[in-house]
Amino acid sequence: MVALLLAGSLAGESSGTFPHIELPESQDVLGYLGRMGFHDQAHQLFEFDTPARRGGARPTDVLLEITAIDTNHDVHEIVDRVQTRAGEILTSKLGYPAASVIPFSVMLSEVCQNIIEHADGPGWVAAQAYNWAKRLGRFVIVISVMDRGRGFRGSLSDEHSARYGDRWSDSTALEAAFLHGLTRFADPGRGQGLQQIRKQVRKWSGLISVRSGTARISQVPDWDDSPPMVDGMAPLPGAQIGIILPATVQP
Amino acid sequence: MSAHAPDPIAIDVGEVLQRSVTSLYSSLVTRPTGRAVRMAIETQLQGAGTLSISLIDFSEVGIIDFSCADEVVAKLLQQYLADEARDAFFVFRGVREPHHPQVEGVLQRQHLAAVVEVEPERFTLVGTFTDGEQRVWDRLEREGSVEADAVERIAPEGVDEEALESLLSRGLAFRSPQSGRVHALSRLVAHLM
């Protein structure tokens, strides 16, 4: 859904008009899109045939509806909003301790700030709990963040490309930021957000991946077999950060 | 306090957050928010003398993220450690377990350390420090303070003396320039709590 918004945003910018979108007819899908707040964001980017469908009163596992991030004020609102729902879902669905709502909120704050501080462009975030009964046999929380900024390579090129020489690419830029905490800022206090997110995700046996340009880098837990680095992918403007947090396994 | 004792300052970060940024925000998140809070703290510190000890209280803060911790804790310490005109010491209060990884993370990132109250009246060193610094700091914390001619009680060996000097230069303990008495920072802020 956030990728659709990114695509719509880029298509609209290049064509100068709202791109047309046809949504599936399935009521389940439309209901899901409604609960995730897709229409609220999409109506600013797409031309629709069908009227908007809002989320109903049925119980929902949405932690955070799709939310646009453009300023630090948006990050404050997200952190305040998510705390009321995250505690319940983290404990009941994932079996995490009640106090985990704080590291979860911190992680969300840092991942959203990554858009403002490093991407220099607007973006979207969403978080939802899913029952991955077949895929994993447990509940998971999926956090998805995308932006249409300049991407990791664009962000780091001025400061760091020279030392990499011919090796400088989307994948080396991702390695520099994801594994080594490099940023375009000279300030040594910068760049730790992503490092600390990785640490917390590892603590919860989760998966985190960052896709930018033609590459994707991942920190892969033992329950997943994704490759840690994929190169040669279709070019993605900006960046996409995906985090999957699985329920704890009862001994 | 005498002219040679540090000026005591108590700063409630929750109150500074509400006053300096906006009363709408309840969490200490985002770098600009942290920067604004740090600048408000620095304004308060400008009213103190050239020697001060501040109790920075996080008790009323719900969430602090790494970006804010870097601005409010790490950069504040760095700035005053580099300031040769002023000696400013800091104790951080109300750094409860959920705040601890953020504060520890930003300190370790820049090889800094701080005296932190993790539970009521229980202080600890957080950040990057040597075993020797930890050992001497623990002894000083138990003693509260030691006279200049009794420093061997906390630093009986040469390696301990080096550790003590390091604690003093890193702003993790205070030596009175007049009497030479060495103080645990926690005792210097006890009357502010």
Side-chain angles (χ1 to χ4, degrees):
Chain A
M1 282 180 280
V2 289
L4 266 179
L5 294 173
L6 177 66
S9 170
L10 293 167
E13 189 174 84
S14 63
S15 68
T17 58
F18 282 173
H20 184 83
I21 187 169
E22 281 185 29
L23 297 176
E25 292 180 357
S26 161
Q27 291 303 303
D28 284 348
V29 175
L30 290 174
Y32 175 53
L33 292 171
R35 289 195 300 281
M36 286 300 288
F38 176 78
H39 298 92
D40 294 334
Q41 300 297 327
H43 266 284
Q44 301 168 40
L45 301 168
F46 292 101
E47 179 187 283
F48 279 86
D49 282 339
T50 51
R53 173 171 172 154
R54 310 285 166 172
R58 56 184 279 195
T60 173
D61 289 333
V62 178
L63 260 85
L64 181 66
E65 294 89 353
I66 300 169
T67 305
I69 306 163
D70 206 13
T71 67
N72 283 288
H73 178 70
D74 298 327
V75 181
H76 275 276
E77 286 204 334
I78 286 167
V79 170
D80 285 348
R81 199 189 325 156
V82 81
Q83 284 178 69
T84 54
R85 298 180 200 168
E88 158 64 14
I89 292 179
L90 287 167
T91 52
S92 68
K93 304 284 189 193
L94 267 56
Y96 290 7
S100 61
V101 67
I102 292 184
F104 181 81
S105 301
V106 168
M107 192 163 68
L108 208 50
S109 169
E110 295 294 346
V111 83
C112 291
Q113 283 179 76
N114 196 67
I115 293 174
I116 299 164
E117 292 273 328
H118 304 284
D120 278 352
W124 297 270
V125 60
Q128 156 95 355
Y130 297 93
N131 184 3
W132 278 12
K134 290 181 183 169
R135 293 170 73 174
L136 192 60
R138 332 177 221 169
F139 270 90
V140 296
I141 284 177
V142 177
I143 302 171
S144 184
V145 182
M146 286 191 88
D147 69 69
R148 42 164 302 181
R150 52 180 162 163
F152 279 73
R153 185 179 182 182
S155 176
L156 299 178
S157 277
D158 287 351
E159 292 296 320
H160 301 290
S161 61
R163 87 173 67 156
Y164 285 82
D166 292 344
R167 289 181 54 239
W168 186 242
S169 65
D170 288 318
S171 56
T172 48
L174 281 175
E175 281 178 353
F178 192 75
L179 300 179
H180 307 303
L182 296 188
T183 76
R184 68 176 188 270
F185 301 105
D187 178 355
R190 298 294 189 103
Q192 55 189 318
L194 204 47
Q195 301 298 299
Q196 299 294 349
I197 292 168
R198 282 179 55 210
K199 197 171 165 183
Q200 186 62 54
V201 170
R202 189 184 302 118
K203 195 173 167 185
W204 283 333
S205 301
L207 167 69
I208 176 170
S209 64
V210 182
R211 181 178 171 185
S212 184
T214 58
R216 186 185 69 207
I217 193 166
S218 304
Q219 178 178 284
V220 185
D222 55 11
W223 52 261
D224 192 85
D225 56 3
S226 302
M229 173 65 80
V230 180
D231 217 338
M233 300 175 79
L236 177 83
Q240 177 182 33
I241 300 178
I243 297 172
I244 301 171
L245 305 174
T248 53
V249 179
Q250 299 300 324
Chain B
M1 288 282 182
S2 75
H4 295 284
D7 285 343
I9 302 165
I11 294 173
D12 180 339
V13 177
E15 192 268 332
V16 172
L17 173 66
Q18 300 266 311
R19 179 166 44 82
S20 62
V21 186
T22 165
S23 59
L24 295 174
Y25 297 163
S26 59
S27 302
L28 202 52
V29 297
T30 80
R31 192 166 286 278
T33 299
R35 195 177 300 130
V37 168
R38 175 169 52 81
M39 289 169 72
I41 292 172
E42 287 167 0
T43 301
Q44 287 195 40
L45 293 177
Q46 282 171 3
T50 54
L51 182 58
S52 66
I53 179 153
S54 301
L55 181 67
I56 310 288
D57 191 347
F58 287 92
S59 300
E60 298 303 316
V61 174
I63 289 177
I64 178 167
D65 69 9
F66 289 95
S67 303
C68 259
D70 182 59
E71 289 287 340
V72 179
V73 179
K75 285 193 167 44
L76 190 69
L77 288 177
Q78 263 181 330
Q79 191 164 312
Y80 284 94
L81 283 171
D83 188 339
E84 295 186 355
R86 288 183 295 174
D87 276 332
F89 296 82
F90 297 93
V91 174
F92 296 92
R93 186 187 193 196
V95 181
R96 301 186 306 273
E97 200 276 333
H99 298 151
H100 201 270
Q102 292 85 287
V103 171
E104 184 176 51
V106 300
L107 290 171
Q108 288 179 339
R109 168 106 173 173
Q110 305 202 51
H111 310 292
L112 295 166
V115 177
V116 169
E117 187 207 43
V118 288
E119 290 174 15
E121 297 184 23
R122 192 169 80 80
F123 296 84
T124 187
L125 272 183
V126 173
T128 301
F129 43 83
T130 65
D131 290 346
E133 287 172 329
Q134 175 77 77
R135 188 170 57 243
V136 173
W137 186 88
D138 285 344
R139 291 177 190 144
L140 178 60
E141 184 62 21
R142 277 196 300 274
E143 296 281 341
S145 65
V146 292
E147 298 293 345
D149 59 2
V151 164
E152 69 275 8
R153 276 164 48 196
I154 59 169
E157 298 172 23
V159 65
D160 292 330
E161 288 172 22
E162 286 176 24
L164 176 59
E165 290 305 316
S166 178
L167 289 173
L168 292 164
S169 69
R170 299 181 72 193
L172 301 170
F174 171 69
R175 177 155 55 202
S176 166
Q178 190 178 38
S179 66
R181 189 180 178 92
V182 178
H183 299 262
L185 299 189
S186 62
R187 308 305 164 89
L188 294 176
V189 296
H191 65 293
L192 296 173
M193 301 172 76

